[in-house]
Amino acid sequence: MNTLDPRHEFGHAGEAAAEQFLRNKGYRILERNLRTTLGELDLIAEDGRVLVFVEVKARTTEAFGGALLAVDHRKQAKLTRLAAHYLAQRHWSDRECRFDVVLIQGRSSAERRIEHVRNAFEVPGEGVS
């Protein structure tokens, strides 16, 4: 049996909570933890006709700020590259896309707070396609 380190377990629990939160909002989850040679996309979902790339951040406290602070410019650039790769593989150059961030705060489900930022950042230039 492969036991995860407590940080990974906490991260997986946060991703599961984010996924359920988005499902409850009517999102359709297409992919979870999609790993490529470029990196990993936490969740890919559809919100109506919009394809949404979701970055999930799990934090035990508020010490490091909110969801927007959790995804800096370097992370945004990486997510943009991953999304462009995903779209190119599927020949979806015409899909409307956006990037959301979901921040899960709290150690237990009883104290858990979820912050969801739709369209958390814009992609400069001509987008991800």
Side-chain angles (χ1 to χ4, degrees):
M1 180 174 169
N2 188 7
T3 305
L4 293 176
D5 115 5
R7 290 172 299 167
H8 286 106
E9 286 181 15
F10 181 73
H12 285 294
E15 288 173 355
E19 180 179 343
Q20 189 58 51
F21 176 82
L22 293 172
R23 284 183 190 280
N24 291 345
K25 290 180 82 168
Y27 287 53
R28 188 167 79 94
I29 305 300
L30 302 177
E31 306 270 0
R32 61 187 70 70
N33 302 115
L34 180 69
R35 288 179 175 84
T36 73
T37 57
L38 301 174
E40 180 180 323
L41 289 164
D42 292 335
L43 294 170
I44 302 170
E46 287 180 321
D47 180 17
R49 297 180 137 198
V50 179
L51 188 65
V52 184
F53 297 95
V54 182
E55 177 67 9
V56 178
K57 293 294 184 185
R59 302 285 188 256
T60 56
T61 70
E62 296 180 35
F64 299 103
L68 292 179
L69 292 178
V71 182
D72 63 15
H73 292 290
R74 269 189 12 207
K75 184 65 172 184
Q76 290 174 19
K78 184 174 185 175
L79 292 171
T80 301
R81 285 191 305 276
L82 285 162
H85 179 73
Y86 181 84
L87 293 168
Q89 282 188 320
R90 284 151 185 80
H91 306 287
W92 285 352
S93 61
D94 59 341
R95 287 292 304 257
E96 181 182 351
C97 303
R98 73 168 194 257
F99 294 89
D100 288 8
V101 175
V102 176
L103 177 67
I104 309 293
Q105 290 181 322
R107 288 191 184 277
S108 68
S109 57
E111 64 181 28
R112 185 175 291 144
R113 255 190 34 238
I114 299 177
E115 179 184 353
H116 176 207
V117 181
R118 289 172 45 106
N119 204 27
F121 62 90
E122 295 290 327
V123 176
E126 295 189 23
V128 294
S129 54

